[in-house]
Amino acid sequence: MRQDILSRLGEHGDRPAIIQDGRELTYAELVEAVRGLLAELPSRGVRPHDVVVLRGDFSFDAVALLLALHCNRNVIAPVVTLSELARAALDECCAPDHIIDCAGAVTYERPERPTHTTRGADGGRSPLLEKLRGEDAAGLVLLSSGSTGKPKAILHNLDRIVEAKLDKRGKGKLSIVLFLLFDHVGGINTLLNTLFVGSASVVLRERTPEEVCSLVERYRVRVLPTTPTFLNLILMGGFAARHDLSSLKLITYGTEPMPESLLARVRGAFPTAKLLQTFGTSETGISSTVSASSQSTYFKIEDAHFDHRIVDGELQLRSRTQFLGYLNQQANNLTDDGWFRTGDLVESGEGGFLRVKGRATEVINVGGEKVLPLEVESLLLTSALIEDCVVYGEPNAITGQHVCVDVKVRGAMSKADVRAHIQEFLGEKLDAFKIPSRIKLVDAVGRSERFKKKRLSL
């Protein structure tokens, strides 16, 4: 199967595979680089089934190494930033054999074995890693963001993920920006989809609205996978008006819910592009979806590799690309019959369409009444005075929690004026307990490195 992959990629010949720093590197060059690495890895001591940390973001070298390590049947842990937290989590759960740094010139490192790891003195590994070895399969380790504590180490059978993409075919006329990170399930999904249809992947130097829009204009990019938060940054900065983005035929958005009011603004800024909501998790992979329309936040999962169901308002998934488990904790979010509890609250529409209402962990409980932050945010974003906002809950001695909002306003307004405006603007639209009682003026709404709103209580 692995050699078949290289043959498949080789069919694309002189089509551009990776566009990086003004250079167009072809599929023929990519396949040649992968074959060269496969010959080099043994001399570097990289044996099949070794655990390899691949540090860096998307680049020609990183993509070639990912493919070569897959063909070499390694367990690959892509990490854009090897922070102390990430390094400690990887040392503890899988004791990496190698660290390959491809952020600049490619370097190889053999890390010292940590004093306490899951690998014993006899070299024994986690049962999940041993399961992969027994199947002679390559593996993929994805770390959760770790924003609330130790990252979860999510182990996948990489062969299954790749096999699920092999039936994709295309004419290679598309160009796609690799916006989602190299260590993100959506980033890996975008890369594999693009490679197997023979399209060109455009690599970013930095993830800013100016850089993204400049490259879309320069290379006539047709597909932009991104997040609602980043789309809002493009609109707020006026980048869609300053650049010719008419080449975009498809904008996909995911990783967080899309407010209906923001979707309407995006539609107005990109009238000729189709807007498609994607859905997936690091544990199950990304499913194929269709949106009810470019104006709708309702979507449907249409993927032969995915099943879904709704239990008590929560979306649950079961997929062919489902993770094997966590290397550093129990998989308590799996049901007894093997369904993954996503934590996303959804409602059903006609024809099997779904709409994400928010995360179960983000529901604000005000004296027993439930508040979904997305509902409040979507309404606030329709105000001509509010440019951006994020709603969250904080403890309250009387009601248990109360609704809070960080607001970026247009122009200069005092806190008292903003409070009065929000009270009046929402007064006829929401129940009183849903209206924010704490308002904070900010210069910018907090976001993660993955361009998702930070909604944690302070």
Side-chain angles (χ1 to χ4, degrees):
M1 186 267 287
R2 298 175 181 89
Q3 291 302 319
D4 290 342
I5 290 171
L6 294 185
S7 297
R8 170 78 173 275
L9 296 179
E11 292 174 3
H12 305 316
D14 292 330
R15 293 180 189 170
I18 305 293
I19 300 175
Q20 177 180 340
D21 296 329
R23 297 179 60 205
E24 295 190 4
L25 299 147
T26 68
Y27 276 91
E29 290 174 295
L30 179 61
V31 171
E32 181 182 4
V34 173
R35 294 193 188 282
L37 286 166
L38 283 171
E40 180 184 354
L41 288 175
S43 68
R44 298 285 188 173
V46 182
R47 302 164 301 176
H49 307 296
D50 280 354
V51 178
V52 180
V53 174
L54 190 54
R55 178 183 175 272
D57 206 343
F58 282 112
S59 67
F60 181 82
D61 288 335
V63 172
L65 279 162
L66 178 72
L67 294 171
L69 291 168
H70 170 251
C71 291
N72 201 48
R73 306 188 301 286
N74 290 113
V75 177
I76 310 161
V79 181
V80 172
T81 303
L82 191 54
S83 64
E84 291 185 9
L85 200 63
R87 180 67 182 266
L90 290 168
D91 284 346
E92 178 187 2
C93 71
C94 54
D97 301 284
H98 308 271
I99 298 175
I100 303 179
D101 192 324
C102 53
V106 177
T107 61
Y108 291 74
E109 175 189 344
R110 293 292 298 267
E112 294 183 6
R113 185 70 61 222
T115 55
H116 55 282
T117 76
T118 56
R119 191 183 303 199
D122 61 351
R125 297 173 182 257
S126 156
L128 293 176
L129 293 174
E130 287 301 327
K131 184 175 187 294
L132 274 180
R133 179 190 290 270
E135 297 174 356
D136 197 28
L140 178 69
V141 177
L142 298 174
L143 295 181
S144 67
S145 61
S147 58
T148 58
K150 182 172 69 173
K152 293 182 290 189
I154 304 162
L155 180 65
H156 283 274
N157 182 319
L158 184 54
D159 287 0
R160 290 183 191 168
I161 294 176
V162 172
E163 286 170 1
K165 306 295 183 184
L166 285 176
D167 58 352
K168 291 188 175 293
R169 293 284 178 179
K171 298 180 180 180
K173 294 182 179 180
L174 299 178
S175 52
I176 300 174
V177 171
L178 293 177
F179 175 83
L180 302 175
L181 295 171
F182 186 49
D183 56 5
H184 186 274
V185 64
I188 297 293
N189 183 72
T190 300
L191 174 68
L192 294 177
N193 283 340
T194 306
L195 288 175
F196 287 125
V197 299
S199 293
S201 297
V202 180
V203 173
L204 297 165
R205 290 188 299 271
E206 54 183 358
R207 287 171 175 81
T208 63
E210 175 62 35
E211 170 80 352
V212 170
C213 293
S214 293
L215 291 181
V216 168
E217 182 176 29
R218 178 178 179 181
Y219 294 109
R220 308 303 297 160
V221 170
R222 300 184 67 180
V223 182
L224 173 61
T226 186
T227 69
T229 292
F230 192 78
L231 288 169
N232 197 30
L233 291 176
I234 290 176
L235 298 183
M236 288 192 301
F239 295 98
R242 294 205 298 271
H243 293 274
D244 178 6
L245 307 181
S246 60
S247 63
L248 284 173
K249 301 305 177 189
L250 176 65
I251 298 174
T252 67
Y253 58 89
T255 78
E256 62 179 351
M258 169 68 85
E260 290 186 7
S261 52
L262 175 57
L263 181 62
R265 290 169 52 215
V266 173
R267 181 62 181 163
F270 300 94
T272 61
K274 178 182 178 181
L275 305 179
L276 173 65
Q277 178 161 334
T278 59
F279 192 85
T281 71
S282 296
E283 288 84 356
T284 60
I286 307 298
S287 65
S288 296
T289 59
V290 294
S291 286
S293 73
S294 291
Q295 295 85 19
S296 175
T297 55
Y298 280 90
F299 71 98
K300 183 189 295 186
I301 295 174
E302 287 195 347
D303 194 316
H305 303 310
F306 276 76
D307 295 314
H308 73 277
R309 67 186 186 186
I310 301 172
V311 178
D312 296 329
E314 180 191 42
L315 182 62
Q316 297 183 359
L317 298 176
R318 188 170 59 187
S319 72
R320 176 181 167 187
T321 55
Q322 194 147 303
F323 73 140
L324 301 178
Y326 300 114
L327 291 171
N328 55 354
Q329 60 180 272
Q330 294 296 315
N332 296 323
N333 44 15
L334 285 178
T335 65
D336 292 339
D337 52 350
W339 290 77
F340 178 73
R341 298 195 297 267
T342 65
D344 286 301
L345 301 176
V346 300
E347 63 181 11
S348 299
E350 295 181 0
F353 283 91
L354 309 171
R355 183 172 73 90
V356 177
K357 299 165 61 179
R359 299 283 297 169
T361 55
E362 295 169 353
V363 173
I364 306 167
N365 190 328
V366 182
E369 299 284 359
K370 302 298 191 293
V371 182
L372 292 166
L374 184 64
E375 177 187 9
V376 183
E377 278 178 25
S378 190
L379 285 172
L380 285 174
L381 289 173
T382 63
S383 165
L385 302 181
I386 294 176
E387 191 166 65
D388 201 6
C389 65
V390 60
V391 174
Y392 53 93
E394 282 191 339
N396 182 280
I398 298 175
T399 61
Q401 284 184 302
H402 63 163
V403 181
C404 308
V405 63
D406 292 353
V407 178
K408 175 178 170 58
V409 297
R410 292 187 172 93
M413 294 179 67
S414 69
K415 185 173 181 179
D417 287 342
V418 173
R419 177 180 294 277
H421 171 69
I422 288 177
Q423 293 282 344
E424 179 182 359
F425 187 78
L426 296 180
E428 296 181 358
K429 301 177 178 70
L430 292 176
D431 294 324
F433 67 87
K434 296 182 179 181
I435 298 175
S437 58
R438 180 186 178 278
I439 297 168
K440 179 181 178 182
L441 299 184
V442 297
D443 294 328
V445 168
R447 58 173 176 77
S448 71
E449 65 175 6
R450 302 186 191 278
F451 289 94
K452 296 167 61 173
K453 283 186 177 179
K454 289 185 176 179
R455 202 187 301 278
L456 300 177
S457 60
L458 302 177

